[in-house]
Structures are given as structure tokens and as C-alpha cells.
């Protein structure tokens, strides 16, 4: 189980790297007026989104494996699972925002994306506290 836990941590960390960086690209896209620079940022965003989706799958699979291996226990785990669903929703929301940028339909400011970028930080903080402290 320690190997599975290690792989879960590696893939979750990698997935979070994408969740942290993609909205930063959105901040730059919302500010950029040069078409060549926008196209370069869109290419980066598309590649990153595809890569972080690939990383999310084993993160979730190894997490499910751990859950089944340790069994369902405690309210902290149920709360963590709710936060995982929130992260999956956030991931899909990033995909939707990317499609809007690609279609030239972004209606949000760079400031909005700066706040949007903080969501995974807060979720990560909550998940780590839940896993380490197991408060309930």
C-alpha cells in the first residue's frame, strides 16, 4: 500500500501543478492583446490542460485504490472526497474557460482569473489538513 500511496501523492502533486498554472495562463490571456502572443498562450494552455487531464486519471485511480484498501472511515474522508469532487469540477471548469478563450468569447477580467487561481490553493490546504489531522 505504501507504493500506491506514493504514486497517489506524485500524481496528485503533478495534477495540482497544472491546476495552479493553467489559471495563470488565463490571467495572461485575459490581458494579452497581441494575437501572436495569444496564440502561443492558447497552445500552452491546450497542451497543459491535456497533460493535467492525463495526470488526474492515475491520481484518482490510486486514490480510489487507497480508499478501497483502507475502507471507508471517518467524516474527514467523506469531506475529503467532497473536495476531490470540487477539484474535478474545477478541472472541468478550466476546460470550459479554455474553450471560451479559443472561441474568442472570454468575458472575464484578469482580476477574476487571479481570484479563480486561488481555489485549488484553498482546496489543497483543506485536504492536507483533513488528511493529516483527521479532525472528525
Amino acid at each position: 500500500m505504501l507504493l500506491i500511496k506514493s504514486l497517489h501523492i506524485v500524481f496528485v502533486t503533478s495534477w495540482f501543478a497544472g491546476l495552479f498554472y493553467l489559471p495563470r495562463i488565463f490571467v495572461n490571456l485575459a490581458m494579452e492583446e497581441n494575437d501572436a502572443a495569444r496564440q502561443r498562450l492558447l497552445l500552452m494552455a491546450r497542451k497543459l490542460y491535456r497533460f493535467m487531464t492525463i495526470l488526474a486519471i492515475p491520481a484518482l485511480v490510486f486514490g480510489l485504490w487507497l480508499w478501497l484498501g483502507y475502507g471507508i472511515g471517518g467524516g474527514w474522508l467523506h469531506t475529503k472526497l467532497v473536495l476531490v469532487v470540487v477539484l474535478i469540477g474545477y478541472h472541468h471548469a478550466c476546460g470550459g474557460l479554455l474553450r471560451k478563450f479559443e472561441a474568442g468569447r472570454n468575458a472575464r477580467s484578469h482580476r477574476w482569473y487571479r481570484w479563480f487561481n486561488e481555489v485549488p490553493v484553498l482546496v489543497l490546504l483543506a485536504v492536507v489538513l483533513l488528511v493529516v489531522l483527521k479532525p472528525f
Side-chain angles (χ1 to χ4, degrees):
M1 271 317 214
L2 290 178
L3 176 62
I4 301 306
K5 189 183 286 189
S6 298
L7 290 171
H8 177 62
I9 291 168
V10 166
F11 281 103
V12 166
T13 303
S14 301
W15 180 30
F16 263 97
L19 291 174
F20 291 151
Y21 189 55
L22 185 58
R24 293 302 306 165
I25 294 175
F26 292 163
V27 169
N28 291 310
L29 275 167
M31 294 171 46
E32 188 59 60
E33 294 181 14
N34 180 298
D35 190 53
R38 285 183 54 75
Q39 292 307 312
R40 186 172 54 253
L41 288 167
L42 281 171
L43 178 64
M44 290 170 56
R46 276 191 296 273
K47 288 183 176 187
L48 179 59
Y49 185 74
R50 186 172 41 245
F51 188 60
M52 62 192 253
T53 300
I54 292 168
L55 294 168
I57 293 167
L60 296 170
V61 168
F62 288 127
L64 180 62
W65 192 339
L66 286 170
W67 181 29
L68 295 175
Y70 285 113
I72 301 171
W76 70 270
L77 183 60
H78 294 101
T79 305
K80 178 189 175 216
L81 292 174
V82 167
L83 292 173
V84 170
V85 171
V86 168
L87 284 174
I88 293 168
Y90 183 87
H91 182 106
H92 286 289
C94 285
L97 291 169
L98 176 58
R99 285 187 293 280
K100 285 184 179 180
F101 272 114
E102 290 174 323
R105 294 182 296 131
N106 174 49
R108 306 212 186 255
S109 72
H110 67 92
R111 286 186 185 94
W112 187 88
Y113 289 106
R114 290 177 197 278
W115 284 105
F116 180 74
N117 187 49
E118 301 306 322
V119 172
V121 174
L122 298 173
V123 174
L124 178 62
L125 176 64
V127 168
V128 169
L129 290 173
L130 285 167
V131 171
V132 172
L133 300 176
K134 295 177 179 59
F136 45 91

